[in-house]
Amino acid sequence: MFVIHTGQRPADSFKAAVSEKEGVSFRGVPLLVPVNANQEIRSLYWNTLRIGPTSLTDMSAAVCTFILTFFTVLGPTVVSGVLSPPTNVRLTSYDMNLLLVWDSPDGAASGLVYTTQYRAYLSDYRVGCVNISSLECDLSHLSSSISEYGKYTGRVRAQLGTESSAWMESNQITLDQDTIISSPNVSLFSNGAAIEVSIKDPVFTISALRKAYHSATYNITYWKDGQMEKARSTSNIQQNRVVLSDLDPWTKYCIQVQINTKLNLNPSKPNTAVCASTTTEEAPWVAAIVTFAIVAVTVALLVVAVVYRKRITHFFCPKDLLPAHFKEYLLAPLNSAMYVAMCNSRPPDEIYNPIIVTDGRTVEEGQPLEAIGRSCSKQTDSTEIEA
């Protein structure tokens, strides 16, 4: 960079020197032209600095004209070597987190990083995220001292190398009043002509819904499928299980649930509508009782069998030995007279009287049966011949 004093350098030599360097200085005042400046700025530079054998007043006017025109064309990104700060800095909260968000400055250079800080009400700033390239910082994960009832403010600045921008401060928020509560998780169970609604609260980053809002209630809206304009609702419900019983049987209903708190004036977003169908008007309590009784009896028998397994085993398989004299008596051979007589006796003789059936003729005593049979046969043959 060259320092030019009026009347000491001709215009041509000055112009040649500037064409080889990044800029010039006039009377010790730096006049900079970035190396990567476009052709429009360079042309403006040369058209403005028409250096020649002119007076000091003309030279000063030319220099002032160049400076004003140069910064008008170049914009606010670079001002005397100072970085422009981030814009649109805001502190938000979703489900009790603490999130600092901002936009990058206009014409931000590559390699730009950010550092954040935060503070509670009437306290000093604490270090948040350091040298991050993203445009947000979750402060709720950096310190355990953040309370669900605290008031907080954040700020952020840009950094490029050794240069830093000014701090840009965010808005102030009170967590329990300004946090945005997401929608609950809703499940439906058909129970005859009624529908049971099960509600699960959203998970908070800090604390829990029932701890931060002791008086939180649910608003349940339900309607027949396709008839949302005729929706009915029930409010100020604190239980997370609700039975809707005023329903028509064999009908499909859709349900939405919203969380309301007294401290936070903004209700939660309603969940995406979920639907379920009712069935018969008869309540299934009889089947439920029978099922419960069977299960209870089965469990009781199993418990008894486990607890008294030793006694049951001893009852069916006793391990006690019989007295010795019982064993001798049962194992000794039988010596009674009756038993011995029965074992040694011969089979008794069978007493019987023979019976012979004839056709009326008298059988002579001592005649064998075969002879009687032959005589009967001959008589039968002769009878057939006579006939």
Side-chain angles (χ1 to χ4, degrees):
M1 187 175 294
F2 294 87
V3 179
I4 301 175
H5 300 282
T6 305
Q8 295 181 1
R9 182 183 295 274
D12 294 339
S13 61
F14 169 75
K15 193 170 184 179
V18 172
S19 64
E20 297 175 357
K21 304 294 180 181
E22 296 179 8
V24 297
S25 297
F26 173 69
R27 300 177 66 86
V29 179
L31 304 177
L32 304 177
V33 176
V35 177
N36 58 350
N38 56 28
Q39 186 63 33
E40 180 182 357
I41 295 177
R42 291 184 177 275
S43 299
L44 178 63
Y45 190 95
W46 297 122
N47 292 333
T48 304
L49 292 181
R50 298 284 186 180
I51 301 177
T54 57
S55 64
L56 180 62
T57 302
D58 295 337
M59 187 64 182
S60 299
V63 170
C64 292
T65 302
F66 166 73
I67 292 174
L68 294 176
T69 307
F70 176 76
F71 287 125
T72 301
V73 175
L74 191 60
T77 303
V78 178
V79 180
S80 301
V82 179
L83 292 177
S84 297
T87 60
N88 195 20
V89 181
R90 55 208 182 272
L91 196 61
T92 61
S93 177
Y94 297 90
D95 290 336
M96 283 294 176
N97 71 346
L98 192 61
L99 190 67
L100 185 64
V101 185
W102 62 91
D103 296 334
S104 59
D106 296 335
S110 60
L112 197 66
V113 295
Y114 305 93
T115 297
T116 65
Q117 294 181 348
Y118 71 99
R119 68 174 181 178
Y121 184 63
L122 299 179
S123 64
D124 297 331
Y125 274 103
R126 299 182 180 183
V127 177
C129 301
V130 178
N131 295 333
I132 60 174
S133 58
S134 60
L135 299 179
E136 64 178 33
C137 174
D138 191 352
L139 301 171
S140 54
H141 293 290
L142 298 178
S143 175
S144 59
S145 63
I146 295 178
S147 170
E148 61 266 30
Y149 305 114
K151 294 182 179 180
Y152 298 97
T153 306
R155 65 180 183 179
V156 60
R157 70 180 180 185
Q159 292 176 274
L160 184 62
T162 58
E163 296 183 353
S164 299
S165 70
W167 288 102
M168 291 299 295
E169 197 169 75
S170 71
N171 56 308
Q172 184 184 74
I173 66 170
T174 304
L175 276 183
D176 60 336
Q177 297 179 9
D178 298 323
T179 189
I180 299 175
I181 303 174
S182 59
S183 59
N185 186 18
V186 179
S187 303
L188 304 181
F189 303 95
S190 180
N191 187 6
I195 293 178
E196 180 180 345
V197 183
S198 177
I199 306 170
K200 185 177 181 181
D201 297 330
V203 178
F204 280 5
T205 304
I206 300 174
S207 185
L209 177 70
R210 292 294 173 181
K211 183 179 178 181
Y213 306 102
H214 302 286
S215 58
T217 58
Y218 303 111
N219 180 34
I220 301 178
T221 304
Y222 58 99
W223 63 91
K224 292 181 180 179
D225 188 24
Q227 301 181 16
M228 190 174 183
E229 66 279 0
K230 298 181 181 180
R232 292 176 286 177
S233 63
T234 175
S235 304
N236 298 324
I237 297 174
Q238 293 186 338
Q239 298 82 7
N240 58 2
R241 285 184 177 271
V242 181
V243 177
L244 302 177
S245 56
D246 56 338
L247 307 178
D248 297 334
W250 305 108
T251 305
K252 185 177 182 180
Y253 285 88
C254 296
I255 298 173
Q256 282 186 325
V257 180
Q258 198 172 26
I259 301 174
N260 293 316
T261 63
K262 292 182 179 180
L263 294 176
N264 194 325
L265 300 180
N266 301 317
S268 73
K269 298 179 180 180
N271 67 292
T272 304
V274 290
C275 303
S277 299
T278 58
T279 55
T280 178
E281 293 182 354
E282 298 179 359
W285 59 271
V286 176
I289 292 177
V290 172
T291 303
F292 175 79
I294 294 174
V295 172
V297 171
T298 304
V299 172
L301 291 176
L302 290 175
V303 171
V304 170
V306 172
V307 174
Y308 299 100
R309 65 183 183 278
K310 292 184 178 180
R311 296 185 180 181
I312 295 173
T313 303
H314 291 166
F315 178 78
F316 289 103
C317 301
K319 295 183 179 180
D320 296 333
L321 299 177
L322 292 174
H325 62 282
F326 274 30
K327 278 188 175 183
E328 293 178 359
Y329 177 78
L330 294 175
L331 297 177
L334 296 176
N335 297 322
S336 64
M338 183 179 293
Y339 177 76
V340 172
M342 291 177 60
C343 292
N344 297 330
S345 63
R346 294 181 302 170
D349 296 333
E350 295 182 0
I351 301 173
Y352 62 92
N353 297 318
I355 298 175
I356 299 173
V357 179
T358 62
D359 56 352
R361 297 173 59 188
T362 302
V363 179
E364 296 180 0
E365 186 177 354
Q367 184 179 4
L369 293 178
E370 291 82 358
I372 298 174
R374 286 195 298 270
S375 62
C376 291
S377 174
K378 290 178 179 181
Q379 184 179 1
T380 303
D381 294 339
S382 60
T383 306
E384 291 178 358
I385 295 172
E386 291 177 356

